[in-house]
Amino acid sequence: AALAELARAKILLVSIRDTPTKDAGKLWPEVKTLVDRAIEIDPTAGEPYFLRAKYKLNANNDPGGAEADFRKGLDLAPNFGPGLRMFAEYLFDRERYDETLTVIDRAILVDPLSAESYYRKGEVLRLGLRGREEAAALYLQALAVKPDFYPAYARLAQVRWNQGRTAEAIKYGERSVA
């Protein structure tokens, strides 16, 4: 479990850097080593499979292998919220919106205190299915769980701006920056 969490931290580090490609060359091999070792120690733990899927997708450009690992992770660890969100992101990128919603709903069910899950579902509705009002409700739900979750404020600002609700858009934009 510790090796898998360290790998997850390194994946997050790659994603938040200003120039992810600079560090990716060093961090992705470290991720692979960590998840391979975690699977070697306990092949029945599902969490490392989600992380190996992320590695296969981002470092190896292997979507088929990634999906197989996502599904294995889902079979072994169906309550691992971060893995469910990773799998949902994978499905969304392939425009498989119904499957995406099923997986993200599972993430919300197992981890109802994750603002990111509500936010991700809002993104699916806003971008994939053009459900702005439904998305706005989910962004507000994310903020109810975590009041300083700034991405939800930013998206609310964007939705309200597109609706011509300028005062609300500015209010949410300022909260996002704050």
Side-chain angles (χ1 to χ4, degrees), residues 70-82:
F70 278 130
R71 294 206 179 276
K72 182 146 186 164
L74 185 61
D75 286 342
L76 296 171
N79 296 329
F80 182 53

Side-chain angles (χ1 to χ4, degrees), residues 127-144:
L127 297 170
L129 303 173
R130 302 284 187 233
R132 287 191 184 135
E133 267 318 299
E134 297 89 345
L138 287 158
Y139 301 143
L140 289 168
Q141 214 166 353
L143 291 169

Side-chain angles (χ1 to χ4, degrees), residues 137-159:
L138 287 158
Y139 301 143
L140 289 168
Q141 214 166 353
L143 291 169
V145 170
K146 187 175 180 187
D148 62 347
F149 191 71
Y150 72 88
Y153 285 116
R155 287 297 182 250
L156 277 166
Q158 187 175 12
V159 167

Side-chain angles (χ1 to χ4, degrees), residues 97-106 121 124-125 129:
Y97 303 129
D98 289 339
E99 291 174 85
T100 303
L101 289 172
T102 298
V103 172
I104 204 69
D105 282 343
R106 174 75 186 167
K121 185 173 181 179
V124 173
L125 294 175
L129 303 173

Side-chain angles (χ1 to χ4, degrees), residues 165-177:
R165 295 163 69 175
T166 310
E168 279 183 80
I170 291 169
K171 176 183 82 167
Y172 288 128
E174 288 173 342
R175 301 264 325 253
S176 176
V177 172

Side-chain angles (χ1 to χ4, degrees), residues 2-144:
L3 293 169
E5 280 302 306
L6 183 56
R8 190 163 80 92
K10 289 181 182 287
I11 289 170
L12 290 172
L13 186 59
V14 169
S15 70
I16 63 171
R17 291 283 169 99
D18 288 336
T19 56
T21 54
K22 179 182 84 171
D23 292 320
K26 180 183 96 170
L27 292 173
W28 283 119
E30 292 176 19
V31 167
K32 183 176 184 335
T33 300
L34 291 165
V35 295
D36 286 348
R37 181 70 179 127
I39 291 169
E40 180 185 321
I41 290 169
D42 184 2
T44 65
E47 293 84 349
Y49 290 98
F50 284 110
L51 302 168
R52 187 169 73 178
K54 193 79 170 159
Y55 166 81
K56 286 180 177 179
L57 195 58
N58 291 83
N60 272 6
N61 194 25
D62 178 12
E67 183 158 346
D69 274 345
F70 278 130
R71 294 206 179 276
K72 182 146 186 164
L74 185 61
D75 286 342
L76 296 171
N79 296 329
F80 182 53
L84 291 166
R85 286 189 295 275
M86 286 180 215
F87 188 31
E89 182 181 326
Y90 166 86
L91 293 167
F92 178 80
D93 288 344
R94 278 141 194 83
E95 299 179 1
R96 293 160 57 183
Y97 303 129
D98 289 339
E99 291 174 85
T100 303
L101 289 172
T102 298
V103 172
I104 204 69
D105 282 343
R106 174 75 186 167
I108 290 169
L109 179 68
V110 302
D111 192 5
L113 297 180
S114 168
E116 188 178 345
S117 293
Y118 297 105
Y119 173 79
R120 293 278 174 213
K121 185 173 181 179
E123 290 291 87
V124 173
L125 294 175
R126 183 180 68 86
L127 297 170
L129 303 173
R130 302 284 187 233
R132 287 191 184 135
E133 267 318 299
E134 297 89 345
L138 287 158
Y139 301 143
L140 289 168
Q141 214 166 353
L143 291 169

